[in-house]
Amino acid sequence: MAFSLDHVALAQLDLPDVATTNAQLNELLQPGSQRVEPAAEYEARDATGTIRITVDARRQVTDVDIQLRWMSRIPAAQLAGVLFQTYVTAIQRAMVVELANARPPAAPLPASETPIVSADSRSFDEWNAVIRARMSDIDEQLERIHRLEANRPAPVARDVRSPRGFFVLHLRGGSPVGLTGSVNALANAGSDRLRLDLLEVFAAAGLASPGDEPARSARQPMPDDDEEPFEFRYDD
């Protein structure tokens, strides 16, 4: 029976189109049409401009800013998600800018002019035996790789709770995969306490740059369009 390709479906990769990828990279490299140059720190802001998260070149969190009137722009139920996405954007920006400005790789060394297998210097049987031996060696290496992958334990999931109980940072294999928040507690929390709690939960997970809090607090906060001098908060 003749083999037909009429009903064969090729596997497809779910990749973004070139235009989408270029737009994402451009937004990371040139937010607001202003190119980001290599620096000690990189920042990202959410779509409303209410949150700013700063990371260093090693993608460790160095500071967090949350405007006083954040609840007028971001629902409490969405705050943790917005914070985490802003954090992801900051580390993506750090990675992209550093890679875009990295030195080009060194030119590869010239390949040897000696052929791996020369059919001219061997009989067909010898040449065929060498090729089969090398293919067998490659197959054995692939089998070892597959066995290692099959026996590798699944990444360990771990939750890190913030000191004040506002946030839970979710890790898998040591990498952050999400952030959730206690909605009822968030609705009654001031921005300063939220900021400190978020910094401390990242520090507890080993994802924050070591540094003293006074130095962080001395940084210029983001302007708040409708900022008021009074902020309601609970005492620790």
Side-chain angles (χ1 to χ4, degrees):
M1 182 176 67
F3 180 73
S4 173
L5 295 176
D6 293 343
H7 302 291
V8 174
L10 297 178
Q12 296 182 348
L13 293 176
D14 185 14
L15 297 176
D17 57 71
V18 175
T20 300
T21 301
N22 287 341
Q24 292 172 343
L25 290 175
N26 188 64
E27 177 58 26
L28 291 171
L29 284 170
Q30 301 184 94
S33 300
Q34 184 175 358
R35 184 175 179 82
V36 178
E37 299 296 338
E41 294 181 328
Y42 301 91
E43 69 174 42
R45 304 189 184 207
D46 75 304
T48 69
T50 305
I51 292 167
R52 177 177 64 191
I53 294 183
T54 307
V55 301
D56 61 20
R58 297 180 300 112
R59 298 179 290 283
Q60 298 283 293
V61 176
T62 59
D63 203 8
V64 174
D65 285 305
I66 304 173
Q67 289 184 354
L68 297 179
R69 306 279 298 191
W70 65 268
M71 281 185 291
S72 65
R73 299 171 183 171
I74 304 173
Q78 298 177 17
L79 179 63
V82 173
L83 284 166
F84 189 75
Q85 184 55 52
T86 307
Y87 161 71
V88 169
T89 302
I91 61 176
Q92 287 176 337
R93 177 161 291 133
M95 292 176 63
V96 169
V97 173
E98 292 291 322
L99 287 173
N101 292 276
R103 292 182 180 180
L109 296 175
S112 173
E113 295 182 357
T114 303
I116 297 175
V117 176
S118 172
D120 298 333
S121 61
R122 301 172 187 265
S123 68
F124 176 80
D125 289 340
E126 292 174 329
W127 178 81
N128 193 34
V130 170
I131 293 297
R132 285 181 176 276
R134 295 194 178 186
M135 290 179 64
S136 177
D137 183 58
I138 292 172
D139 288 340
E140 289 179 4
Q141 293 184 42
L142 287 174
E143 281 294 329
R144 286 197 295 270
I145 292 173
H146 290 321
R147 287 196 297 270
L148 288 173
E149 290 294 329
N151 295 328
R152 180 176 297 175
V156 177
R158 181 167 70 99
D159 291 341
V160 179
R161 296 185 179 277
S162 61
R164 296 164 184 80
F166 295 132
F167 302 108
V168 178
L169 182 62
H170 306 286
L171 306 172
R172 185 172 295 118
S175 298
V177 295
L179 182 74
T180 53
S182 175
V183 177
N184 292 334
L186 292 175
N188 295 313
S191 60
D192 283 348
R193 296 182 72 228
L194 292 175
R195 169 182 175 272
L196 290 175
D197 214 37
L198 190 64
L199 282 170
E200 290 176 17
V201 76
F202 274 111
L207 300 172
S209 177
D212 54 357
E213 184 55 37
R216 288 172 173 162
S217 299
R219 300 182 184 186
Q220 184 67 29
M222 289 192 300
D224 195 332
D225 295 339
D226 50 4
E227 182 175 330
E228 294 180 356
F230 174 80
E231 182 185 3
F232 176 76
R233 66 185 68 183
Y234 288 112
D235 293 330
D236 287 326

